[in-house]
Structure formats: structure tokens, C-alpha cells
Amino acid sequence: MANVRIDYSPVHELVTSLYAYTDIKNQFHDIGKKWRTDIEKKLPDSFAGQLEELDLCEIIAYLHLIILDSPAKDNAEQFLAWFANLGEGQLYERLAPYLEEGISLGLKAFQSLSLEVLRIWNETCPISTEVHELLGRSASRMEQLSQKRHYIDLIDEATSGIVLHPSDEYETILLIPTYHIKPLNRMDLIGSRQLIVSYAVDDEQPSEDTPTSQLLRMTKGLADEKRLILLHILAQGPVTFTELQHKTGLSKSNLHYHLSLLKTAGLLRMHFKKPNEKYKYSARSESFNQLNALLESYVFGLTKE
């Protein structure tokens, strides 16, 4: 049975927001291009080169692991000061259990480059109090759910559809609520036994006159004939991407687009199996009950005075 740890810290979100900034090609971030453009204007010219040298995709999981047990993780400035004071031996001691192949940068370069980039990023894009509190509430909710649910069901709930295979053994699963990559999730498998899942947390409904982001995604997800056909196929059971291509005749890019929209809407499941096996997909049946409840609450709730 996997040891599940739910952990939130503004430093986790600092790292994840930086990842969202770098994920330029992904069109499914809620955060939008304007956010990235506005921040880019405030960053020093040297930042892009530093970020490329760091290669955040390779080292983001190790940053999360360092944050996890840091005594200074509740404050970004304090964490960065603590991280700067770690000797190479201390750094190795903290990461050694996860370094099967090592970090290509080398530990010292990993530390110094991470510090440079995160200091600049924290000055430019600090985590707001509102986001901090939102993610803290989500972490508390997941902590409560973890006492009642099997870890596979917990991950499914948190990510709105990522399903781990019951035969896969994990030593530790780290579950981190995140805002800036919403409505996407991120999974980092370290070695074969450590899994980090950064799951998206939506804004809370600003008023009863405004539909939730989840309701908008769900209705958009259903508003297309191809996606309805996909859901009809997926309701028969888990199928691979290649099988879906054969059944629908859609191109890879088109199919990927439609599946991504259905996933961000929480309407399908992605079944994950180690090692490096491709996802299988199926319809997420309970999301249709959720959609009905969200629609009724929004449409008819307004007249209940």
C-alpha cells in the first residue's frame, strides 16, 4: 500500500507557476497568454537563458522533494535562504533516495541555478494570498478524504480522472494542489516507486450569477459531435489512443485536441500503467451526474428566492 502524502506550500506553487510560464506550447492553461506576456516584460533579459540552462522539466520533481521536508517551506524567502545554505553533502543526503541516475546538471549547478531562477521568479510573480489560501483549503480537504478512500480513488478524485493501475506498487505518492497549471495535472515518476502528482485546483465560484469554470468546461466538452462520439466509444471500456484513431478516423493532432478538452472537463479517465505504458482512456460516468447537479444548481438555483 502506497504512503500518500498531501503537501501544500507556497514554494511548491512558486515552482509550479514557473513551470506554467515555461509551458508555452500548451494551449489548455486557463492562465492565458496575457499573463505570460505581462510577466515576461518584468523579467530581466538574462532570465530566458538561465531558465533554458536549468531545464525545469528535468528537475521540477527534485525541487518538490526538497521543499517537502524543508523547515522553511511556509515562506518563499525563508525557503530560498535555507536552500542556499544547504551544503552539497546535505543536498545529496536529501535527494540520494531518488537519484537512481543522478541529475545531469550536477548537484551544485542544480542548486545554484535553481536559486538564481527562483529568486527572480519570486520577485516577479509572488504567490498571492488568495491563491495560497485556496490551495491550503484544497490540501485540507484531500487530507480528510485520504482517511476514507483508497489512494487510487483519491488520485482519481483530485485529478478528475487519472487512474493508477492497482498492480503498480508505489512507495510514496506525493499529492500537491496547484493553481497556475489549472485545469491540467502534472505527474512525475521518479525511479519506479516515487510518484508526484500536482493536481489542478479551480477558482471558487465568485457569485451565484456566474457559472463555475468546471461547468463551462463540461458544457464546452459536450458541444461537439466528434467528442460525443468519442464518449460513446469510451463508455464501452478503456481503449488506447491508437484504437480510438482506428475507430474514429481522426488524425493524431485532432484526436489529441478532443481528448484534451474532454480530460480538462473531467469527462474521461486516463488509465496509467507502469513502466512507460501508454494511457488508456474511458468515460468517467460519475461526471455526468456532477454535470446534472452543476447545471441544476446554476440554472434553477437563481430563481429560488
Side-chain angles (χ1 to χ4, degrees):
M1 183 74 170
N3 173 35
V4 178
R5 296 186 65 179
I6 295 104
D7 194 61
Y8 171 65
S9 139
V11 193
H12 282 308
E13 187 58 21
L14 189 72
V15 171
T16 307
S17 65
L18 178 58
Y19 168 73
Y21 173 77
T22 66
D23 197 22
I24 299 169
K25 293 181 180 179
N26 200 318
Q27 61 183 305
F28 291 99
H29 289 291
D30 277 3
I31 208 78
K33 291 181 180 178
K34 186 178 183 305
W35 171 80
R36 187 179 288 109
T37 304
D38 289 346
I39 289 174
E40 193 171 10
K41 293 173 184 174
K42 302 174 187 176
L43 291 166
D45 293 339
S46 60
F47 189 75
Q50 290 172 310
L51 202 51
E52 188 176 343
E53 191 177 356
L54 183 62
D55 191 0
L56 189 62
C57 273
E58 182 192 347
I59 59 90
I60 188 171
Y62 299 112
L63 285 171
H64 283 310
L65 290 168
I66 289 169
I67 295 163
L68 178 62
D69 290 316
S70 166
K73 70 179 182 181
D74 291 334
N75 178 280
E77 290 78 13
Q78 291 174 16
F79 169 81
L80 292 170
W82 170 84
F83 187 26
N85 286 325
L86 281 182
E88 192 169 357
Q90 293 171 301
L91 194 57
Y92 177 77
E93 190 176 313
R94 285 177 175 273
L95 291 178
Y98 315 106
L99 293 174
E100 291 185 3
E101 297 180 5
I103 297 175
S104 59
L105 275 172
L107 283 178
K108 204 64 186 170
F110 157 73
Q111 182 184 32
S112 60
L113 278 169
S114 297
L115 279 166
E116 279 183 57
V117 165
L118 288 174
R119 279 173 176 151
I120 295 169
W121 186 250
N122 186 48
E123 290 169 6
T124 309
C125 187
I127 304 306
S128 71
T129 302
E130 292 78 14
V131 168
H132 177 48
E133 291 175 350
L134 175 71
L135 297 178
R137 287 193 292 274
S138 179
S140 297
R141 177 175 171 268
M142 284 300 148
E143 194 67 60
Q144 292 173 354
L145 284 176
S146 71
Q147 307 304 314
K148 307 171 188 174
R149 298 196 183 179
H150 189 275
Y151 74 90
I152 292 178
D153 296 326
L154 183 71
I155 302 300
D156 184 6
E157 166 83 13
T159 61
S160 298
I162 290 178
V163 180
L164 305 181
H165 199 279
S167 69
D168 287 340
E169 295 183 3
Y170 296 96
E171 188 175 304
T172 304
I173 298 174
L174 174 58
L175 199 56
I176 303 172
T178 183
Y179 177 82
H180 284 82
I181 63 170
K182 69 183 178 70
L184 307 174
N185 304 293
R186 179 181 170 87
M187 291 175 62
D188 290 284
L189 183 62
I190 305 162
S192 59
R193 303 292 298 277
Q194 316 287 335
L195 182 67
I196 299 176
V197 181
S198 299
Y199 71 92
V201 178
D202 255 326
D203 295 286
E204 292 165 350
Q205 190 171 7
S207 75
E208 65 176 12
D209 294 338
T210 308
T212 63
S213 298
Q214 184 63 11
L215 176 56
L216 290 172
R217 289 190 203 106
M218 284 179 147
T219 51
K220 182 179 178 180
L222 293 171
D224 184 275
E225 181 183 1
K226 294 184 182 69
R227 291 194 287 277
L228 287 173
I229 291 169
L230 279 170
L231 287 169
H232 176 72
I233 296 168
L234 293 170
Q236 312 308 311
V239 291
T240 65
F241 187 93
T242 303
E243 288 168 337
L244 280 173
Q245 262 197 291
H246 288 311
K247 287 175 182 286
T248 61
L250 293 171
S251 67
K252 284 185 179 180
S253 59
N254 204 354
L255 179 55
H256 183 268
Y257 171 77
H258 289 301
L259 287 174
S260 296
L261 275 177
L262 291 172
K263 174 63 189 75
T264 57
L267 293 167
L268 61 75
R269 283 195 164 91
M270 299 171 69
H271 301 261
F272 178 75
K273 177 79 173 68
K274 295 189 299 184
N276 299 321
E277 187 173 306
K278 293 179 180 177
Y279 282 111
K280 288 186 177 180
Y281 302 87
S282 67
R284 194 165 181 251
S285 57
E286 66 268 33
S287 62
F288 293 88
N289 294 328
Q290 182 189 9
L291 172 59
N292 185 57
L294 287 170
L295 268 174
E296 285 194 349
S297 173
Y298 177 66
V299 175
F300 298 105
L302 295 178
T303 63
K304 292 179 181 177
E305 293 262 335

